Amino acid sequence: MSPSSILATAFLFASAFASADVHIDESIPYRDKEEIDTRIVSECLEVGSIMSKSLQETAAKSDVTVVRDGKKQGTYADIAITSAMSAGNAFIGHAKGMAVSATLYVDGKQVNKKTFTRNSSGGMFGAYKSSCAVLNRTSKVLGSDIAQWVVREQKNAQNK
């Protein structure tokens, strides 16, 4: 066997065990906008894209490629914001929170489903942040939480 054919065989073998891309939406949508405070929907326009980008970046640290193309094929995560709350303000204190539902599919079969929640009171210097800034930060952390779950579930599915 020539060195080039050994290399090609090794590449094919490695490719067979490489993790598949995970598809998600470019911007995580609200499951039902009617159930979310209209101020959040109309003013905090980056929440879904921040969550999606955070998920992609966190998964990449574990060598899992997340593609933000919205395709529902191969390995994909169906993710939606199910609730969002924004009470308080910079003067009296923030009380923000979000819940997200995620379902992971591999080849059209549901692998697992999980709900994620995060709450925030604004954190350090919260008094100087807008409501949307606090929700954006909450969204970023949720994206990271979901990514860790997707990585774990995808690896579990590959080991079965």
Side-chain angles (χ1 to χ4, degrees), residues 60-76:
K61 294 175 186 172
S62 297
D63 296 324
V64 172
T65 302
V66 171
V67 182
R68 299 169 59 211
D69 60 4
K71 292 183 179 177
K72 307 288 188 219
Q73 65 185 35
T75 302
Y76 67 94

Side-chain angles (χ1 to χ4, degrees), residues 48-89:
S49 60
I50 287 171
M51 188 181 303
S52 179
K53 185 72 172 167
S54 173
L55 196 161
Q56 181 183 47
E57 290 170 353
T58 302
K61 294 175 186 172
S62 297
D63 296 324
V64 172
T65 302
V66 171
V67 182
R68 299 169 59 211
D69 60 4
K71 292 183 179 177
K72 307 288 188 219
Q73 65 185 35
T75 302
Y76 67 94
D78 184 18
I79 306 166
I81 299 167
T82 55
S83 69
M85 183 220 18
S86 178
N89 58 46

Side-chain angles (χ1 to χ4, degrees), residues 72-120:
K72 307 288 188 219
Q73 65 185 35
T75 302
Y76 67 94
D78 184 18
I79 306 166
I81 299 167
T82 55
S83 69
M85 183 220 18
S86 178
N89 58 46
F91 303 106
I92 63 169
H94 291 284
K96 313 293 184 228
M98 264 194 246
V100 178
S101 173
T103 307
L104 184 66
Y105 295 89
V106 176
D107 296 327
K109 295 178 185 167
Q110 181 178 321
V111 174
N112 206 345
K113 183 175 186 171
K114 186 167 174 70
T115 299
F116 298 85
T117 59
R118 282 287 181 160
N119 298 305
S120 179

Side-chain angles (χ1 to χ4, degrees), residues 12-19 158:
L12 288 173
F13 183 75
S15 300
F17 291 98
S19 60
Q158 288 176 341

